[in-house]
Amino acid sequence: TWEERLRDELAARHGQARGRELAERYSRAFSADYCAATTVARAAEDVERIEALLARRDLDVEVVPACQGREYLSELRVCEVGQPVALADLLPRLQNFGVRVLYENVHEVRLAGCDPIFMQVFAVQTGDGRPLSATAGVALLAPALAALKQGLTEDDALNALTLQAGLSWREVAVLRAYLAVALQMKLGPTLESLRRVLLGHSELARLLIELFKARLNPDTDASPDRLAHLRSSYHKAREQIDNFADDLLARNLLALVEATVRTNYFREPAETHISLKF
């Protein structure tokens, strides 16, 4: 039976004693729909995720390839104790990351002496129809969504740079801070126009972060040649911009990064806000 195969899989992963303990704990926890839709190997991984989640009591997010025959999709698996994430809340967030949701399945996991655990499985792809595994920042999506859930970062269209440019949520937050400064200094007409430059040319966003780190990270000592190379790469990427207004905005963003003399970004533990001194 499916339960017996799950017990064997857990024993192979954790040894006979621990595998038997987990199998007994989860043998009746999964619904018939879950068992029908999920391989035993995937279920064993979900058991491990749930055990870790119960210890942390936060949001667990994972991106994995979809089942065979659906290579154009990825699965976004969201697990939470107590209640599922409301679809009306999650969909706009995913759209800001450039993620398109095709359909959703929700599975309730019931363990003795424990609040219900909800596992939401979304079939997803990028806005242009690619699996998330084909993007630069697929490994960064889960921590970014968790940070958003915890209120550590903002929910706006700039989050698409996580997948497009392979930037972590804190790196995106740096760019968000620079855009706010540019607007305050009247270096751009609107926040939307400043975002448009980076979202339409994600290589510029990536290079701005590389230059920011090379110049200001106290644990590195970037050579003048390294800085010159990054600056040259930025100007070369700027050649892809096809209008004067956006080109001027891109120049202004580079000027802001090069005018920065101090930041708290690299402090450990990480600050909850980002400070920039010009």
Side-chain angles (χ1 to χ4, degrees):
T1 65
W2 191 91
E3 289 80 6
E4 291 172 337
R5 288 186 286 119
L6 176 61
R7 180 195 60 206
D8 293 342
E9 180 71 22
L10 290 169
R13 290 168 178 256
H14 300 281
Q16 290 295 331
R18 178 59 174 163
R20 187 181 305 110
E21 177 187 344
L22 289 172
E24 290 176 359
R25 179 168 165 79
Y26 285 88
S27 61
R28 300 182 183 276
F30 295 115
S31 67
D33 287 344
Y34 175 91
C35 297
T38 310
T39 66
V40 167
R42 177 68 253 176
E45 292 177 12
D46 285 343
V47 167
E48 294 165 355
R49 290 176 61 218
I50 292 170
E51 287 292 296
L53 176 64
L54 291 173
R56 299 192 314 266
R57 290 280 171 164
D58 59 4
L59 185 71
D60 184 87
V61 183
E62 183 183 23
V63 180
V64 298
C67 59
Q68 191 172 8
R70 294 185 176 179
E71 288 78 7
Y72 58 95
L73 296 176
S74 297
E75 281 187 358
L76 177 68
R77 304 176 73 88
V78 180
C79 194
E80 191 165 25
V81 179
Q83 60 184 4
V85 180
L87 196 59
D89 294 334
L90 189 58
L91 278 182
R93 295 177 185 175
L94 292 176
Q95 288 169 355
N96 277 336
F97 280 98
V99 176
R100 178 185 176 204
V101 177
L102 278 72
Y103 58 84
E104 174 203 25
N105 290 316
V106 181
H107 305 290
E108 184 176 352
V109 183
R110 289 193 171 272
L111 294 174
C114 190
D115 291 334
I117 300 155
F118 292 91
M119 186 168 295
Q120 295 166 272
V121 182
F122 300 91
V124 296
Q125 58 184 193
T126 63
D128 57 1
R130 296 177 296 148
L132 297 194
S133 57
T135 65
V138 60
L140 302 170
L141 179 61
L145 283 170
L148 192 59
K149 169 72 173 178
Q150 296 166 28
L152 299 176
T153 190
E154 296 182 33
D155 184 14
D156 62 28
L158 214 62
N159 287 334
L161 292 172
T162 291
L163 292 178
Q164 288 181 14
L167 300 181
S168 71
W169 66 267
R170 289 197 76 234
E171 290 169 337
V172 173
V174 169
L175 294 175
R176 190 176 287 118
Y178 274 112
L179 296 194
V181 170
L183 187 65
Q184 185 177 13
M185 292 184 177
K186 302 187 185 304
L187 299 178
T190 65
L191 192 56
E192 289 71 22
S193 63
L194 289 161
R195 286 174 181 164
R196 182 184 66 238
V197 173
L198 297 184
L199 291 171
H201 306 277
S202 58
E203 180 69 3
L204 294 179
R206 186 187 64 80
L207 287 166
L208 282 176
I209 289 297
E210 285 197 31
L211 186 60
F212 170 82
K213 289 184 170 182
R215 292 187 68 254
L216 297 165
N217 189 342
D219 294 329
T220 63
D221 187 16
S223 67
D225 287 346
R226 170 64 175 161
L227 297 177
H229 172 73
L230 289 172
R231 191 177 301 110
S232 174
S233 297
Y234 186 87
H235 287 304
K236 186 174 181 180
R238 238 190 58 245
E239 295 174 2
Q240 302 300 317
I241 299 176
D242 58 7
N243 70 81
F244 175 78
D246 285 0
D247 183 64
L248 179 59
L249 294 177
R251 288 175 181 269
N252 288 341
L253 291 174
L254 176 62
L256 277 178
V257 172
E258 294 194 313
T260 309
V261 295
R262 190 178 302 168
T263 179
N264 68 344
Y265 177 83
F266 300 99
R267 289 190 63 179
E268 294 293 345
E271 298 278 0
T272 55
H273 63 279
I274 294 173
S275 299
L276 301 168
K277 181 178 180 180
F278 299 96

